[in-house]
């Protein structure tokens, strides 16, 4: 994030909050409508030329929230209420989840998305990440494999039982003494596939690390993956369903999400390669027709929207070609379809042979 605060010290963040509030008070004392200028970030657009200004670390412009606009009054009210809660958390050295914050004023916030947006606005305003605000996520990711690390003084030794699931650390900043003898990192979309690999003792046999975000990955899973790749310098592959949502999850890991574009630099994994399953795998592996589902009208709209993303033109044209095949065929299928003839096909053949032969993009 451009201009990110060089220090994560709570006293520095509190000083920034105090300075911001003083500016608002000055506006009011001078009979000016208080306003807030927020940088705006964007990781993709629909310009296929490659000449766009989308960037992982630079703002593309500013958004002004002002009491002069009636529609902005509620948003500014929420921002200040959430900021007050964050100030209290920092002063008292306590932590809270986004859900905790929502329930402090549910009649005002109305829905969780309102709090989420305010927290994102505050991160942009103070040029920091959520963990600097003592706002902690509720982690859902899992990891297993040839890995050992210390988190906040607690040792996690996955390597003792490589096919046993461990929770992904909530705060990557607390990870120390990370060590591994793994050959690569494999990210799988779903917990069911993660458990299939665990049952097949995939990590034990292939000397690797497997991670799942159990669907769309949360912040801890994405930051942990980024941390692993940076620290261990291992190849990283991703296995998702051959459907629009699987592809969207794939792009979230590699490129980041638009909602948290301001923090994409800390979470995107440009080294990540798509291992499968590809839309073209249906014919390649002779899967039976009953494994297929037709794309819904909503699926097709989602695919068309993703096809227009600029980063697919600039950085991942082969991914785009596979997405076009999905749209042309009009069908989708899950990872588990590969196990139609043998439950162990995925772990015994599909994944190892694709990595060994370089069948990834």
């Amino acid at each position: 994030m451009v201009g990110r605060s060089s220090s994560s010290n709570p006293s520095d963040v509190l000083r920034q909050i105090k300075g911001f509030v003083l500016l608002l008070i000055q506006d009011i004392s001078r009979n000016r409508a208080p306003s807030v200028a927020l940088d705006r970030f964007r990781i993709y657009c629909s310009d296929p030329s490659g000449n766009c200004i989308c960037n992982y670390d630079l703002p593309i412009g500013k958004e002004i929230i002002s009491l002069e606009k009636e529609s902005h009054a509620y948003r500014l009210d929420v921002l200040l209420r959430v900021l007050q809660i964050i100030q209290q958390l920092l002063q008292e050295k306590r932590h809270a989840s986004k859900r905790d914050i929502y329930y402090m004023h549910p009649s005002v916030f109305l829905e969780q998305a309102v709090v989420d947006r305010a927290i994102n606005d505050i991160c942009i305003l103070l040029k920091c990440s959520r963990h600097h605000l003592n706002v902690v996520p509720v982690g859902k990711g899992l990891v297993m494999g040839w890995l050992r690390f210390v988190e906040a003084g607690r040792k996690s030794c996955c390597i003792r039982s490589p096919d046993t699931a461990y929770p992904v650390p909530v705060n990557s900043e607390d990870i120390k003494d990370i060590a591994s003898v793994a050959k690569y990192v494999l990210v799988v979309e779903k917990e069911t596939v993660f458990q299939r690999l665990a049952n097949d003792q995939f990590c034990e046999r292939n000397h690797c690390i497997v991670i799942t975000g159990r669907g769309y990955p949360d912040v801890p899973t994405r930051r942990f993956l980024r941390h692993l790749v940076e620290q261990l310098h291992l190849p990283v592959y991703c296995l998702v369903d051959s459907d629009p949502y699987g592809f969207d999850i794939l792009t979230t890991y590699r490129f980041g999400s638009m909602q948290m574009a301001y923090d994409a630099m800390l979470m995107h994994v440009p080294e990540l390669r798509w291992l499968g399953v590809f839309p073209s795998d249906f014919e390649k592996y002779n899967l039976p027709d009953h494994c297929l589902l037709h794309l819904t009208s909503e699926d097709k709209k989602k695919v068309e929207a993703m096809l227009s993303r600029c980063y697919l033109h600039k950085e991942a044209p082969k991914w785009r070609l596979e997405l076009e095949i999905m749209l042309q065929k009009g069908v989708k299928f899950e990872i588990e379809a590969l196990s139609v003839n043998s439950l162990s096909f995925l772990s015994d053949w599909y994944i190892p042979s694709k990595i060994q032969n370089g069948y990834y993009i």
Side-chain angles (χ1 to χ4, degrees), residues 291-303:
C291 292
L292 289 180
L293 294 171
H294 290 286
L295 294 178
T296 65
S297 57
E298 180 138 343
D299 286 336
K300 291 177 181 178
K301 288 179 183 176
K302 187 172 182 64
V303 171

Side-chain angles (χ1 to χ4, degrees), residues 122-276:
I122 290 168
C123 287
I124 294 170
L125 178 69
L126 302 181
K127 295 181 170 59
C128 66
S129 297
R130 286 183 190 175
H131 62 277
H132 295 139
L133 307 178
N134 283 12
V135 177
V136 296
V138 178
K140 63 172 185 169
L142 299 173
V143 61
M144 63 179 175
W146 295 78
L147 178 68
R148 186 184 67 215
F149 58 89
V150 176
E151 179 199 4
R154 298 184 302 272
K155 182 180 284 189
S156 293
C157 197
C158 311
I159 205 166
R160 288 180 180 171
S161 180
D163 294 293
T164 298
Y166 287 76
V168 163
V170 172
N171 292 313
S172 292
E173 296 73 25
D174 293 337
I175 298 174
K176 299 188 185 322
D177 300 329
I178 189 165
S180 176
V181 292
K183 297 176 182 177
Y184 59 85
V185 178
L186 175 66
V187 181
V188 296
E189 174 187 345
K190 302 183 294 189
E191 186 177 6
T192 53
V193 176
F194 182 91
Q195 293 298 341
R196 174 76 265 152
L197 296 179
N199 291 340
D200 291 343
Q201 296 185 313
F202 183 81
C203 291
E204 175 78 38
R205 293 188 289 124
N206 292 277
H207 279 75
C208 65
I209 298 166
V210 178
I211 294 175
T212 181
R214 298 203 273 185
Y216 277 94
D218 55 12
V219 170
T221 303
R222 290 165 59 195
R223 295 197 71 188
F224 181 62
L225 177 63
R226 170 69 184 252
H227 187 75
L228 282 184
V229 174
E230 285 184 334
Q231 295 297 314
L232 301 177
H233 307 289
L234 294 174
V236 55
Y237 309 102
C238 191
L239 184 67
V240 295
D241 286 339
S242 179
D243 65 21
Y245 292 93
F247 189 85
D248 200 25
I249 288 168
L250 172 75
T251 60
T252 299
Y253 278 113
R254 177 166 172 179
F255 299 105
S257 65
M258 189 68 91
Q259 183 184 19
M260 295 188 67
Y262 64 89
D263 238 2
M265 184 59 74
L266 291 179
M267 289 187 283
H268 77 130
V269 183
E271 300 90 346
L272 183 138
R273 295 294 173 258
W274 185 14
L275 187 68

